């Protein structure tokens, strides 16, 4: 079961105009840098992107926005990015904002074969508009549907040739959820190992969810908010 | 209104310090961005409190020492952080799962407006660029205990404690307590109940600056600010 | 009926071997208890197939060597097993999550009865002690491709391929293919479609022993049983 | 944050007659042996037990059945146990059988604060009787409610003083799901370590879900179906 492809260009070769893509990461942490670079190079457009954030002006999904490859963003928090704001205000870009936990759980629902979930997030707010509200044990919940995504692009720390993945620290975030939710899931990893080298108890994403895997290169792993304590 | 302007209002640090007195041994706590983040600086040294960061961490430690920043280790405000012994990472579905399941004992967050029914608005100003709700809607809809840290009035001097929010809601009927620069108030079925006032701030000033229903019963003690609470950060 | 009794019916091993020819490179497969388990013995050596065990394992290996049994490592039949390189463990919610999400390419299981509409009954006999459905209902409700391995008739010689199940259902309209001791059949909207027959078993015998609608078109080839398929177990 | 208690007797001290208990494990694999022994010793009765299986005659939940401590079993597969069958047929014991994936997912729902889930398991069968059926994308699903359980008793391989847990191999099964679903969750572990000794990326159950933890003793870890290959 060898799912290894040569690199990002090969991994994304069937991503075409107009498809829906999930991209893992929170802020710039744990984003699929290599896949994004390949999409920018390929110039594929009219994309719907499901991602918690939309990058910054010169990194992450911001690079795709700069090239106007994105038709619609489905996110929980955006706009750390001037070009994003410009396109949004000019009407070039559509944005659908959904609560972060709803975003995560709708990915989980897809990966777990559940067509919809109930969440209290957004009850009594504009997020609830047009949605079914249902009460359980005296509390109101919104019915939220599982996502459909043609491709999921995720970034892991380690992976094996079968597509088993292990994430590092908070770079895990949405990655394992989106890995489960793509019709085709593409994983880029910092360290690719032969099958049998990962601890079977420590794998976060079983390879059954992953269709292609490659060892990424030149990770920048940019820090968005560098906060430190002074050394004495 | 200027005649009522208090010069004794709490600083942001003092608001955070006052909120830290709501912590209890063994609490799991989620702190929002802004003043809430400062609460971490006032956790008593001998108290076991675990900080949750909703991007996927229990056991958030202080900022790293210069040069120790790890790009894979950030909090929900996207700041570089550290772990503590016993920290654990998880994905965002589990993170909001434990929030929805009521496992987080206390959530502290900021607000633009709070109504006397406990509604909160803190994500959107019509006409302005909307950045999104992030995890705020999940947190306010699920937390058992929500304390809002906020200024009592906006820069124009208008009350942010209202009969009804004018801004789009983040959540309805969820806020339990407010610690502002002027006062500590519980949200009750009958409105805001004044519990404590900032040193030197009169009940009259708080009344004047609270547009929502305000309940004042008996003597209102001053918020204790002088005592230095031990910090572990 | 006795006159039609074939002496050339497939053995359980031959049924399993025939089913193994439905495997494809890269398949993730869930094998039920009984004949389905035997399919693992006939996976071609050069074919990559990963076996799922719904208690929480991808990459099930053969039984352990004597003395190497590990009580923490069992399959869904509660038998001691081993792992293979690339194996991974997970909890039962993720296990059934991947099943429901259609990530398992092929499910093979036994049945007491199958209807010509693809209904399956394999968990309960009224009047007898009911042990439970285990994961069978989840598997049949979710799998994209379900092959049933079964005897064509019960010990009394009565057909188990029926117009409608008489026993309580495990799932409705889900079986895609049947490999019995007498035949290979697809389940189509018009009923069971005979594809292959066991060597020496006549179409007439199959007709006589199939109570549900049976479609027979053209020559029906014999199931190839002589060729030894390479085994890796 | 120290959740360590001295042992099983102390851990279960507030489990009283008539409560609902979840017990982790699949077959005899990964069952909370020490907690079961303490419940048998304490003699608490009239229990509702949620557990995938019901043990064998002389081990696991079978030990509690023998003492008639169980009023009702909620399981997916039972009866590997003569005493169980006897009590069931005599009407002393109630049994509710539910599909294994439904059992697992209803635990997940509780732990993730979701009041209900949709699953196709059981549609068109007697399991669907009295349940709401709802169609999504042309497929029928049953609405199944999250569990409520007063206590969850789980067994992990390693745990730390904060209650963080790591399971071993297929002994994971229902344990992390039930750990999330108990109003009070009690974990017994083979190896108890100080906080900070577990890899934060490798923990399966975050301690926030666990209320008490103790180091178990004398694990028998009985094998239900010993299947082996002959050595040459």
């Amino acid at each position: 079961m060898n799912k290894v492809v040569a690199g990002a260009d090969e991994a994304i070769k069937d991503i075409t105009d107009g498809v829906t893509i999930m991209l893992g990461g929170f802020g710039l942490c744990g984003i699929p840098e290599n896949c994004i670079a390949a999409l920018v190079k390929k110039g594929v457009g009219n994309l719907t992107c499901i991602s918690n954030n939309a990058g910054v002006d010169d990194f992450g999904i911001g690079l795709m926005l700069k090239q106007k490859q994105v038709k619609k963003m489905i996110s929980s928090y955006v706009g750390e990015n001037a070009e994003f704001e410009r396109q949004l205000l000019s009407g070039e870009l559509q944005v659908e904002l959904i609560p972060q936990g709803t975003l995560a759980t709708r990915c989980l629902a897809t990966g777990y074969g559940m067509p919809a979930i109930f969440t209290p997030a957004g009850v009594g707010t504009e997020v609830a508009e047009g949605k079914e509200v249902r009460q359980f044990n005296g509390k109101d919940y919104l019915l939220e549907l599982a996502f459909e995504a043609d491709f999921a692009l995720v970034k892991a720390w380690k992976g094996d040739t079968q597509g088993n993945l292990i994430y590092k620290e908070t770079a895990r975030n949405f990655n394992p959820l989106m890995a489960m939710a793509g019709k085709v899931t593409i994983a880029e990893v910092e360290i690719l190992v032969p099958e049998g080298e990962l601890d079977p108890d420590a794998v976060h994403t079983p390879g059954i969810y992953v269709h292609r895997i490659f060892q990424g290169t030149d990770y920048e792993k940019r820090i968005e908010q560098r906060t430190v304590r002074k050394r004495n | 209104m200027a005649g009522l302007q208090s010069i004794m209002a709490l600083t942001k640090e003092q608001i955070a310090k006052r909120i830290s007195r709501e912590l209890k041994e063994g609490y799991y706590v989620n702190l929002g961005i802004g003043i809430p983040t400062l609460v971490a600086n006032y956790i008593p040294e001998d108290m076991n409190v675990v900080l949750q960061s909703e991007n996927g961490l229990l056991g958030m430690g202080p900022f790293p020492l210069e040069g120790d920043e790890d790009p894979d280790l950030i909090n929900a405000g996207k700041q570089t952080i550290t772990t503590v012994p016993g920290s654990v990472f998880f994905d965002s579905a589990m993170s909001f799962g434990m929030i929805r399941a009521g496992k987080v004992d206390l959530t502290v967050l900021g607000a633009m407006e709070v109504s006397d029914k406990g509604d909160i608005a803190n994500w959107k100003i019509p006409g302005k660029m909307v950045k999104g709700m992030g995890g705020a809607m999940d947190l306010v809809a699920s937390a058992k205990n929500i304390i809002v840290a906020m200024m009592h009035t906006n820069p124009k001097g208008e009350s942010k404690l209202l009969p009804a929010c004018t801004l789009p809601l983040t959540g309805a009927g969820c806020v339990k307590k407010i610690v502002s620069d002027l006062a500590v108030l519980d949200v009750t079925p009958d409105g805001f109940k004044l519990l404590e006032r900032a040193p030197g701030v009169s009940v009259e000033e708080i009344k004047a600056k609270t547009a929502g229903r305000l309940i004042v019963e008996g003597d209102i003690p001053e918020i204790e600010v002088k005592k230095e609470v031990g910090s572990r950060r």
Side-chain angles (χ1 to χ4, degrees), chain A, chain B:
Chain A
M1 194 74 75
N2 191 324
K3 298 176 177 176
V4 178
V5 296
D9 292 334
E10 187 186 336
I12 64 139
K13 65 178 188 297
D14 53 352
I15 297 187
T16 53
D17 284 8
V19 298
T20 297
I21 305 177
M22 290 182 158
L23 299 103
F26 176 83
L28 301 180
C29 180
I31 61 174
E33 294 185 18
N34 281 239
C35 282
I36 291 171
L39 286 170
V40 167
K41 188 171 134 197
K42 187 177 183 185
V44 61
N46 212 22
L47 300 172
T48 296
C49 293
I50 303 172
S51 175
N52 191 62
N53 311 91
V56 295
D57 272 318
D58 59 346
F59 205 57
I61 294 176
L63 298 170
M64 292 163 66
L65 287 163
K66 201 187 281 186
Q67 287 212 73
K68 301 185 185 168
Q69 295 177 272
V70 183
K71 177 182 65 177
K72 181 175 182 180
M73 282 299 313
I74 299 175
S75 302
S76 90
Y77 195 85
V78 296
E80 291 152 311
N81 183 329
E83 175 63 13
F84 182 98
E85 188 164 347
R86 193 199 61 70
Q87 289 183 27
L88 178 63
L89 296 175
S90 73
E92 291 166 68
L93 178 66
Q94 301 166 46
V95 176
E96 182 181 339
L97 293 170
I98 57 185
Q100 192 176 337
T102 303
L103 184 71
T105 314
R106 289 175 66 189
C107 294
L108 179 79
T110 310
Y112 275 20
M114 302 190 290
I117 53 108
F118 292 103
T119 176
V123 168
T125 78
E126 64 184 50
V127 165
E129 284 168 22
K131 286 180 188 149
E132 177 177 328
V133 180
R134 183 157 175 164
Q135 200 170 83
F136 294 92
N137 299 319
K139 183 169 170 130
D140 286 339
Y141 295 82
L142 300 184
L143 181 79
E144 296 274 8
L145 299 178
F147 279 120
E148 289 200 23
D150 301 301
F151 295 89
L153 311 180
V154 303
K155 155 75 172 25
W157 175 49
K158 277 189 180 179
D160 72 13
T161 50
Q162 291 204 13
N164 294 312
L165 303 176
I166 295 176
Y167 308 90
K168 190 164 169 241
E169 300 170 341
T170 56
R172 194 182 316 181
N173 55 64
F174 286 86
N175 280 302
L177 304 167
M178 292 179 170
M180 296 193 296
K183 279 181 199 135
V184 173
T185 291
I186 299 165
E188 57 177 273
V189 296
E190 290 181 59
I191 303 166
L192 182 63
V193 300
E195 61 184 18
E197 294 211 358
L198 300 180
D199 174 358
D201 283 322
V203 168
H204 298 125
T205 298
I208 194 171
Y209 284 113
V210 176
H211 301 82
R212 300 168 199 160
I213 186 169
F214 67 93
Q215 168 129 18
T217 57
D218 303 318
Y219 282 103
E220 184 176 338
K221 297 174 79 164
R222 198 186 294 187
I223 291 174
E224 200 164 343
Q225 303 279 348
R226 187 177 306 267
T227 44
V228 295
R229 285 177 298 157
K230 285 252 177 261
R231 284 182 190 276
N232 290 346
Chain B
M1 196 69 82
L4 286 170
Q5 197 69 34
S6 172
I7 51 164
M8 301 297 282
L10 299 191
T11 62
K12 289 180 178 180
E13 286 73 18
Q14 287 171 323
I15 293 174
K17 196 189 281 191
R18 173 61 188 83
I19 290 171
S20 75
R21 303 219 313 263
E22 303 292 321
L23 299 173
K24 294 194 178 122
E25 173 65 23
Y27 260 23
Y28 290 92
V29 178
N30 184 295
L31 301 175
I33 296 169
I35 301 175
T37 301
L38 301 175
V39 175
N41 298 331
Y42 300 101
I43 301 171
E45 287 216 38
D46 56 351
M47 185 181 280
N48 289 297
V49 166
V50 175
L51 300 180
Q52 201 242 22
S53 189
E54 67 266 25
N55 52 323
L57 169 64
L58 274 169
M60 181 163 55
F63 295 143
L65 291 171
E66 291 175 294
D68 287 349
E69 311 91 277
D70 176 351
D72 290 323
L73 182 48
I74 65 172
N75 64 15
K78 295 167 189 119
Q79 299 169 311
T80 45
I81 49 164
T82 56
T83 56
V84 295
S87 285
V88 47
F89 299 105
F90 34 83
D91 66 46
S92 299
M94 179 179 263
S95 182
F96 285 95
M98 63 182 68
I99 288 167
R100 280 195 305 265
K103 302 295 174 182
V104 174
D105 299 291
L106 175 64
T107 293
V108 184
L109 70 177
M112 299 169 183
E113 295 178 349
V114 176
S115 84
D116 60 21
K117 288 165 285 295
D119 301 341
I120 177 171
N122 72 351
W123 77 286
K124 184 174 183 177
I125 301 175
K128 281 204 180 181
M129 165 71 190
V130 180
K131 295 200 169 190
M133 66 292 280
M137 283 193 181
D138 306 274
L139 281 160
V140 300
S142 304
K144 292 180 290 193
N145 190 6
I146 298 175
I147 299 181
V148 164
M150 68 192 296
M151 295 294 121
H152 214 94
T153 57
N154 67 20
K156 288 188 271 182
E158 297 162 341
S159 179
K160 294 167 72 173
L161 284 71
L162 304 172
C165 293
T166 64
L167 297 171
L169 293 191
T170 308
C174 49
V175 176
K176 299 284 183 292
K177 192 185 281 276
I178 298 165
V179 178
S180 79
D181 53 334
L182 301 186
V184 180
L185 310 100
D186 269 353
V187 179
T188 75
D190 300 316
F192 301 114
K193 181 172 162 71
L194 185 60
L195 301 178
E196 301 170 29
R197 58 196 168 85
V201 171
S202 67
V203 169
E204 285 62 41
E205 179 177 348
I206 293 164
K207 278 185 181 169
K209 291 182 173 171
T210 303
R213 290 172 297 160
L214 182 70
I215 304 161
V216 183
E217 287 175 0
D219 274 353
I220 306 299
E222 288 192 350
I223 299 169
E224 184 151 349
V225 292
K226 54 186 184 293
K227 191 180 131 208
E228 190 56 45
V229 181
S231 162
R232 65 174 185 190
R233 294 282 144 75

